[in-house]
Amino acid sequence: MEFLSDKHLLLLEDSDEFIENAISLFNMFVKKTFVAKDIKEAFKLLENEKIDLIISDIHLKNECGLDFIEKFRQTNNQTPILILSGYKDEDLLFKAMTLNLSGYLIKPINFKALIEAFEKCEAKLKLNNQKIIDLKEGFKYDKELKKVIKENEVFELNKKEILFFEMLCENQKRVITKDMFIKFVYEYEPMSDSALNNFVLRIRKRFGKNFLHTIPDVGYKMII
């Protein structure tokens, strides 16, 4: 996992015992691990340091790690994030589904599970560096121009269409749920099922049907 060897990791964790062991473990893969013990300190580090990936405990003493992630995701949907917990919490996992996470780790951390989680982070970081995303039928999405192109033809996109393709590219191997549409495309505006269906129908009419697979009663998934 050499790709992570020059990367900086932010750990949001308030257990001194866990921090000491975690730093040694994480630094086997990354260049440096920065530690924040509360949300305020985490944002200060994000402001002052170059952070490439984040690991956050869900259960802090007086705070919730998901609140930190939710606020961070309002301005950054690129950085890979893993969450930590001493046990599985189905309600919190459901909330986390909309936060574009790269993995979920249970304490004490299993080494094999950590490697798998870091591999997902590595894949996301590599994807972030990819400027052109292939769709189907010759269409491509240009992440820099924020436009769809096909051969010499360029398709202009409105704001919601740009947000849709950005969300799709960030979640190429994941199912896009209605909650994710509301959060990332409609930015918490009210959206009915018919509005969602009409939006997807317009996208398919413009750019073909074959790049987006419908999963009934669940959502959509990009076909790559």
Side-chain angles (χ1 to χ4, degrees), residues 85-134:
S85 180
Y87 55 91
K88 283 192 175 181
D89 187 319
E90 298 298 332
D91 290 336
L92 288 176
L93 278 175
F94 181 77
K95 180 180 179 182
M97 285 176 62
T98 65
L99 298 177
N100 190 18
L101 301 177
S102 295
Y104 189 113
L105 295 169
I106 301 294
K107 297 178 181 177
I109 295 177
N110 176 276
F111 191 73
K112 182 180 178 182
L114 179 63
I115 290 176
E116 291 175 353
F118 274 159
E119 285 175 344
K120 292 179 181 178
C121 291
E122 181 181 64
K124 183 171 177 61
L125 287 168
K126 288 180 177 178
L127 179 63
N128 290 343
N129 292 331
Q130 187 178 348
K131 304 304 180 186
I132 304 293
I133 306 297
D134 289 322

Side-chain angles (χ1 to χ4, degrees), residues 153-164:
E153 191 172 3
V154 178
F155 298 84
E156 300 288 342
L157 303 173
N158 62 36
K159 180 183 177 181
K160 283 186 171 56
E161 289 170 341
I162 291 172
L163 292 173
F164 167 75

Side-chain angles (χ1 to χ4, degrees), residues 163-211:
L163 292 173
F164 167 75
F165 278 106
E166 292 289 322
M167 175 183 66
L168 205 61
C169 293
E170 288 297 317
N171 298 275
Q172 289 190 27
K173 296 183 179 181
R174 300 175 63 189
V175 175
I176 306 297
T177 65
K178 181 180 177 181
D179 286 341
M180 293 174 72
F181 263 94
I182 293 173
K183 181 178 178 64
F184 295 114
V185 179
Y186 278 74
E187 300 177 301
Y188 294 106
E189 293 178 14
M191 182 187 67
S192 65
D193 289 341
S194 61
L196 172 57
N197 292 336
N198 288 335
F199 179 89
V200 172
L201 181 62
R202 290 195 302 271
I203 291 290
R204 283 173 163 159
K205 281 184 176 180
R206 291 189 73 188
F207 309 117
K209 300 178 181 179
N210 296 327
F211 78 96

